[in-house]
Amino acid sequence: MGKITGFIEFERVAESYEAPGTRLKHYKEFVLALDDKQAQVQGARCMDCGIPFCNTGCPVNNIIPDWNDLVYRQQWKQALEVLHSTNNFPEFTGRICPAPCEEACTLNINNDPVGIKSIEHAIIDKGWSEGWVVPQPPLKKTGKKVAVVGSGPAGLAAAQQLGRAGHSVTVFEKSNRIGGLMRYGIPDFKLDKSLIERRVSQMEAEGVEFQASTYVGAAGDATEDGLNVITTAELDQQFDAVIMAGGAEMPRDLPVPGRELSGVHFAMDFLRQQNKRNAGDRIANQISAAGKHVIVIGGGDTGSDCVGTSNRQGAASVTQIELMPRPPEHENKALTWPYWPAKLRTSSSHLEGCERDWAITTKCFKGDKGKLKKLVCTRVEWVKDEATGQMKMQEIEGSEFELKADLVFLAMGFVSPVAAVLDAFGVDKDQRGNVKANVDNYRSSRDKVFAAGDMRRGQSLVVWAIREGRQCARAVDEFLMGTSLLPR
């Protein structure tokens, strides 16, 4: 694959960024993608490793060595066909996937894996620019109707696959625009929303219908005014199959004294407002970080997105704290490869300006006249419980300290889908509050109701959602037709 000696001859070259001083002035994407020649050289680094661990490291099982080789040979259209054979939306994953495939790359044993994500990005962007990405409407219709609840990556992948199989697919989304958490949960500077619009247009040309501003469930459970409501009973009457593909939208809270103070917000409320503002929506009670001291609680991607957004809004300072201990700078390859390792990860948002600290727990929020002023924190250590063998947290005596704060964003992950939606469908739940369904047939406990993505597996990556949507689509196709030609 690639050039036989390419991994010896060529060094890894990553995508570059606009300078922080420039990119902080806007919300547009700032990654400078590889040009054709750079991508060719990076594709040449893909070695004939015998067992391509990158394939299994990738949740959608992208056939990575094949399209690396095709890019090396400058056969771009064929590379796009191979890429699309496993991934409906590589323009999403080529931008926001953390690239577990690169951690699994054989060259990563030497800390210089093939730049798989950057090559994927180059392939799909070239495909769109050359006009190779076109609608693929079915040759004939089956007469079967499928409802997809949720228009995130799982719902979109399932809808596109089923539409191409000939079924009549309708996607329901409670937000005013299609895209789910990709639309309103991921900042524009990481994923330009025109990319979603472009795919929606393609899917509409393939026959998929979209109904935004539509809540599925009991009318009394709709949390926003002006939404259309369709009940689960109506879906049951109108459709031959239903896929529950919503997100894990219930954020983990921090129930400590002072939680009610003005200035303490869930991270997603903050990110959603900024994305809506960028889209031209009018926002009431705008959360603004301008001139404020911001604390982000939680060290994951959502927290990083809050850092980048706060800096673009003109925060006076941004600090991100994390309950877990600081990860090592580099993993022990002998112990972790080819699996996803725990190691320190610094995002582009961190590089724009952020203080980071680890092994900290928040004791309480303090304020004045109802407004947040500071956090009271203490340092913790993690020790092994001799009885259970599990690691447990304990506070370090005398380590209490305060952090100045005008705004706090809770970015500690998501615990489950919205329970009211699951209750409206009457499906069984697993121990974590997700829809109980397996990965063999993705069926819930309700007849003809399926589940995929975060609503089934819990909070996860966009690439995992695409995988689940594709596999669920095959299961639904088999359910409706008795057999399926769709790939798993």
Side-chain angles (χ1 to χ4, degrees):
M1 296 301 161
K3 187 178 182 181
I4 296 299
T5 56
F7 71 99
I8 300 173
E9 296 179 41
F10 307 121
E11 294 183 356
R12 174 185 167 98
V13 174
E15 294 174 319
S16 56
Y17 300 152
E18 281 185 2
T22 301
R23 67 184 191 244
L24 281 174
K25 297 176 182 178
H26 61 78
Y27 288 88
K28 299 176 183 178
E29 290 186 5
F30 54 80
V31 174
L32 306 177
L34 303 182
D35 60 29
D36 288 7
K37 182 62 178 179
Q38 289 173 321
Q40 180 184 32
V41 171
Q42 292 308 296
R45 297 186 66 246
C46 187
M47 63 191 299
D48 188 8
C49 60
I51 300 176
F53 290 95
C54 56
N55 285 20
T56 52
C58 171
V60 293
N61 302 127
N62 276 331
I63 312 170
I64 294 163
D66 290 34
W67 45 257
N68 280 342
D69 181 63
L70 289 165
V71 169
Y72 165 59
R73 301 180 189 282
Q74 295 291 279
Q75 297 174 7
W76 288 92
K77 192 171 185 179
Q78 293 93 322
L80 179 66
E81 292 171 359
V82 174
L83 178 55
H84 264 150
S85 71
T86 55
N87 186 351
N88 293 68
F89 314 120
E91 63 269 43
F92 303 158
T93 51
R95 286 167 165 81
I96 59 177
C97 183
C101 54
E102 294 189 15
E103 297 291 353
C105 176
T106 301
L107 280 178
N108 191 43
I109 295 173
N110 294 329
N111 284 317
D112 59 348
V114 174
I116 299 168
K117 180 178 174 180
S118 64
I119 298 172
E120 178 182 27
H121 187 178
I123 294 170
I124 185 58
D125 280 12
K126 189 174 185 66
W128 279 107
S129 66
E130 294 290 337
W132 297 333
V133 185
V134 296
Q136 300 177 37
L139 296 177
K140 62 179 181 179
K141 302 292 284 186
T142 65
K144 302 293 186 179
K145 298 174 66 177
V146 182
V148 178
V149 181
S151 70
L156 291 179
Q160 185 165 66
Q161 293 294 93
L162 288 166
R164 290 176 175 178
H167 305 304
S168 296
V169 182
T170 303
V171 179
F172 297 94
E173 169 59 52
K174 71 176 184 297
S175 295
N176 62 332
R177 293 182 177 86
I178 300 301
L181 289 175
M182 287 194 305
R183 166 74 68 173
Y184 289 129
I186 296 174
D188 290 359
F189 56 81
K190 288 177 64 177
L191 179 67
D192 189 281
K193 302 311 181 281
S194 66
L195 304 178
I196 300 174
E197 300 289 355
R198 191 166 58 181
R199 279 295 180 182
V200 169
S201 296
Q202 180 199 33
M203 292 173 66
E204 288 177 329
E206 294 172 351
V208 176
E209 296 183 6
F210 293 91
Q211 292 190 22
S213 300
T214 302
Y215 179 82
V216 175
D221 293 333
T223 56
E224 298 178 23
D225 295 332
L227 293 179
N228 300 316
V229 176
I230 183 169
T231 67
T232 55
E234 290 173 321
L235 286 187
D236 187 65
Q237 292 171 358
Q238 298 174 23
F239 294 90
D240 300 295
V242 177
I243 298 176
M244 302 175 66
E249 297 183 69
M250 296 300 295
R252 182 172 285 107
D253 207 345
L254 186 58
V256 298
R259 171 64 179 85
E260 75 287 350
L261 291 169
S262 173
V264 183
H265 304 275
F266 287 120
M268 201 54 64
D269 293 339
F270 174 59
L271 298 175
R272 184 181 292 109
Q273 279 195 359
Q274 184 58 59
N275 280 354
K276 282 181 169 289
R277 184 179 178 184
N278 291 346
D281 292 354
R282 297 185 64 181
I283 304 298
N285 302 315
Q286 173 80 33
I287 304 169
S288 174
K292 296 179 180 178
H293 297 283
V294 176
I295 306 294
V296 179
I297 302 179
D301 289 341
T302 302
S304 170
D305 292 344
C306 287
V307 171
T309 302
S310 296
N311 278 324
R312 280 164 178 74
Q313 290 187 358
S317 68
V318 182
T319 303
Q320 186 177 27
I321 60 175
E322 164 64 48
L323 182 65
M324 301 302 293
R326 179 186 175 112
E329 294 281 346
H330 301 286
E331 72 274 30
N332 184 332
K333 301 287 187 180
L335 294 177
T336 62
W337 182 88
Y339 302 107
W340 182 258
K343 65 179 179 181
L344 182 65
R345 300 179 189 276
T346 300
S347 72
S348 59
S349 290
H350 294 138
L351 297 174
E352 293 164 0
C354 175
E355 293 292 327
R356 304 169 74 187
D357 207 344
W358 290 265
I360 292 173
T361 188
T362 303
K363 301 294 290 182
C364 68
F365 302 108
K366 286 186 176 181
D368 181 37
K369 297 179 180 179
K371 292 185 177 182
L372 176 70
K373 294 298 180 183
K374 61 182 69 173
L375 273 68
V376 178
C377 304
T378 187
R379 298 196 177 274
V380 300
E381 60 182 351
W382 292 83
V383 297
K384 181 179 286 189
D385 188 313
E386 297 299 333
T388 65
Q390 302 295 315
M391 300 299 290
K392 67 177 183 179
M393 181 190 77
Q394 63 183 30
E395 296 181 8
I396 299 175
E397 186 176 354
S399 66
E400 188 172 290
F401 64 99
E402 294 183 346
L403 290 172
K404 184 176 182 180
D406 305 305
L407 273 180
V408 166
F409 297 124
L410 306 180
M412 303 176 295
F414 302 85
V415 295
S416 71
V418 177
V421 176
L422 274 61
D423 293 340
F425 275 98
V427 295
D428 290 346
K429 304 174 187 176
D430 64 18
Q431 293 180 338
R432 297 182 298 159
N434 304 317
V435 180
K436 189 175 182 180
N438 61 44
V439 294
D440 293 325
N441 56 31
Y442 289 85
R443 293 193 190 186
S444 75
S445 59
R446 281 281 308 277
D447 183 44
K448 74 179 187 182
V449 176
F450 298 73
D454 288 5
M455 195 166 271
R456 191 204 68 82
R457 66 176 281 122
Q459 174 193 356
S460 192
L461 304 174
V462 166
V463 67
W464 270 108
I466 294 172
R467 172 197 173 106
E468 294 238 331
R470 288 172 60 89
Q471 292 192 341
C472 184
R474 179 182 171 90
V476 171
D477 193 33
E478 286 180 333
F479 168 74
L480 294 174
M481 306 304 292
T483 187
S484 178
L485 297 177
L486 292 174
R488 275 185 62 82

